[in-house]
């Protein structure tokens, strides 16, 4: 799928830079719809709390965390999440498709 291609490229780039990564099996770590798939989620946690727990665990192991999030605005506590990312000096990559048809094709591919 389209987002998978971006993730594969990002993973390969980080490997070339010798950045060890946590082996994350969840496609969308920050969506409340999929919160139960987050390996750091405990009962009663919001997305930000679970995410921060994951950051703490991976960074204590000297690992980077590569994840995909289609719509950050859907995350609970988006402002808190941004504060966590900024306070940790997180580097991000944002991919935007300007071609509407390309965007629709990729969204359909990602769904099936």
């Amino acid at each position: 799928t389209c987002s998978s291609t971006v993730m594969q490229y990002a993973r390969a780039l980080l490997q070339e830079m010798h950045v060890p990564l946590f082996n994350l099996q969840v496609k969308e770590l920050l969506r409340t719809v999929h919160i139960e798939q987050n390996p750091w989620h405990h009962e009663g946690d919001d997305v930000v709390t679970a995410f921060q727990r994951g950051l703490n665990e991976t960074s204590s192991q000297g690992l980077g965390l590569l994840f995909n999030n289609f719509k950050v605005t859907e995350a609970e506590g988006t402002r808190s999440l941004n504060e966590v990312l900024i306070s940790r000096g997180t580097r991000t990559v944002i991919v935007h498709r300007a071609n509407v048809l390309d965007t629709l094709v990729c969204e359909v591919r990602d769904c099936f």
Side-chain angles (χ1 to χ4, degrees):
T1 64
C2 299
S3 61
S4 296
T5 302
V6 172
M7 291 294 283
Q8 289 170 358
Y9 180 75
R11 183 175 302 281
L13 183 61
L14 290 167
Q15 287 174 344
E16 283 294 316
M17 297 171 63
H18 305 288
V19 175
L21 295 174
F22 179 81
N23 187 18
L24 184 65
Q25 301 299 319
V26 179
K27 184 174 180 178
E28 295 178 49
L29 189 64
L30 302 176
R31 294 201 53 200
T32 56
V33 176
H34 305 294
I35 186 93
E36 70 284 346
Q37 296 175 12
N38 183 322
W40 301 291
H41 176 257
H42 296 167
E43 187 68 33
D45 282 352
D46 62 10
V47 174
V48 176
T49 302
F51 182 73
Q52 191 161 19
R53 186 178 293 114
L55 283 176
N56 292 339
E57 182 180 318
T58 55
S59 64
S60 72
Q61 297 173 19
L63 300 172
L65 183 59
L66 177 64
F67 63 95
N68 183 4
N69 191 46
F70 289 104
K71 297 174 182 146
V72 154
T73 56
E74 290 183 16
E76 292 178 14
T78 301
R79 173 181 238 157
S80 302
L81 176 64
N82 290 342
E83 290 170 2
V84 168
L85 294 171
I86 290 168
S87 71
R88 298 183 78 109
T90 303
R91 296 179 186 193
T92 62
V93 174
I94 299 172
V95 177
H96 172 75
R97 292 182 185 89
N99 182 314
V100 175
L101 181 58
D102 182 48
T103 301
L104 291 174
V105 168
C106 287
E107 287 179 10
V108 169
R109 283 184 183 168
D110 284 344
C111 291
F112 298 100

